[in-house]
Amino acid sequence: MTDKSDITLTINGKAHAIRVEARRTLADAIREECGQTGTHIGCEHGVCGACTVLVNGEPVRSCLMFAQQADGKQIRTVEGLARGDEMHVMQRAFMENHGLQCGFCTPGFLMLAVGVLERELDISDHDLVDVLSSNLCRCTGYQNIIKAVRAAAIEMRQS
């Protein structure tokens, strides 16, 4: 089955007209056809969360979604967080609170946290920990990630 379909992926506000096989994952299409390599591929089973992007504002594991399913939807990747040279509040919070070490999982955590806080800025600490535990990090021990997301939430509430 090598039939390809023409689709348009709108990533960070820019339309990418591409041709993909039905089995092509959104993660692979974002990286390979659209050149947005900030979305990382880890487990390819939806377990680690490194590939998390926002589709129509909702965090999704892009390794579990077919590119064709995202046709015509708004996709936001880590490349779309900053505005020019100005980092997104979440990116700044991760840096200031040491929420990253090797950085492999960071794009997925950033997109998950932004997606959650944009929907529920006053999320409880319990629920925040529950949400963040869905992504894996082998370096940080999670405490600084949680601290960074809480700091970003405070700043987002004030703006």
Side-chain angles (χ1 to χ4, degrees), residues 16-30:
H16 298 265
I18 61 173
R19 191 168 180 77
V20 295
E21 292 180 8
R23 65 182 180 196
R24 189 68 154 167
T25 66
L26 179 58
D28 286 334
I30 288 170

Side-chain angles (χ1 to χ4, degrees), residues 24-27 55 60-67 69-70 73:
R24 189 68 154 167
T25 66
L26 179 58
V55 177
V60 301
R61 308 283 206 224
S62 62
C63 73
L64 294 181
M65 185 175 197
F66 292 117
Q69 292 174 292
K73 296 181 178 167

Side-chain angles (χ1 to χ4, degrees), residues 123-148:
I123 189 169
S124 72
D125 285 346
H126 178 268
D127 288 345
L128 178 62
V129 169
D130 188 50
V131 167
L132 293 177
S133 71
S134 71
N135 280 27
L136 299 179
C137 175
R138 294 182 175 197
C139 302
T140 65
Y142 297 95
Q143 294 310 308
N144 288 342
I145 293 172
I146 295 165
K147 184 175 154 186

